[in-house]
Amino acid sequence: MAKKTARNTRGKIVSAAWELFYEQGYEHTTVEEIIDLSCTSKGSFYHYFDGKDALLSTLSDLFDEKYEALQESMAPGMTAMEQLLFLNRELFAMIESSVSMDLLARLLSTQLVTSGEKHLLNHKRTYYRLLRRIISAGQASGEFSSDRSVNSMVKLYALSERALMYDWCLCGGEYSLRDYSSQVLPTFLSGFLSDSSPKDRTGEIY
């Protein structure tokens, strides 16, 4: 029970912080405002975080919270490929609507230079556990090829999502992240499909 309470308290702080970052910008958000919105205490905040800067690395927590919610909304009959594309579409829609592009870019850049934990690559995350489950099921059903290992395919999928986010930030958000990904990701992931899975001549699933 104590662990669950601690997780909920930390989660409230993270959710409140990113809501404020999006609404009024990172620079204009104070620790006091985060504490007030999260209905926690100063002691609780500094128990989990050294300061506001430490919250930048929690964007992966926000993503995982979204993935946990998405698991519950996936239709039982969806194929493995449909599940992967659904998760990508919904996450990227959330990023466009509630995550500042400047903060996403800052997170990606800090992950490149950090000598500490690379949060986006933490394979204990909900993200990676969910991907392994979906891809394993896809291989077991014969939808996905068994030529590659599950971990190799998970790595490729995660790499493609990071590349799409990086390019979106690099281009200053001049296009819709979700829509562009919906156009290019199916072609990229068509390499996961087994020879018996239906494809059109472009390699896209249908």
Side-chain angles (χ1 to χ4, degrees), residues 31-52:
V31 168
E32 288 71 23
E33 288 174 320
I34 295 170
I35 292 169
D36 287 344
L37 184 60
S38 64
C39 299
T40 55
S41 66
K42 191 172 184 179
S44 293
F45 181 92
Y46 285 105
H47 174 74
Y48 295 107
F49 304 104
D50 293 335
K52 190 172 69 169

Side-chain angles (χ1 to χ4, degrees), residues 84-93 157 161 164 181 185:
L84 292 178
L85 295 175
F86 170 77
L87 291 174
N88 172 262
R89 183 173 63 250
E90 294 301 313
L91 179 75
F92 279 10
Y157 178 87
E161 286 205 317
L164 286 163
S181 181
L185 195 60

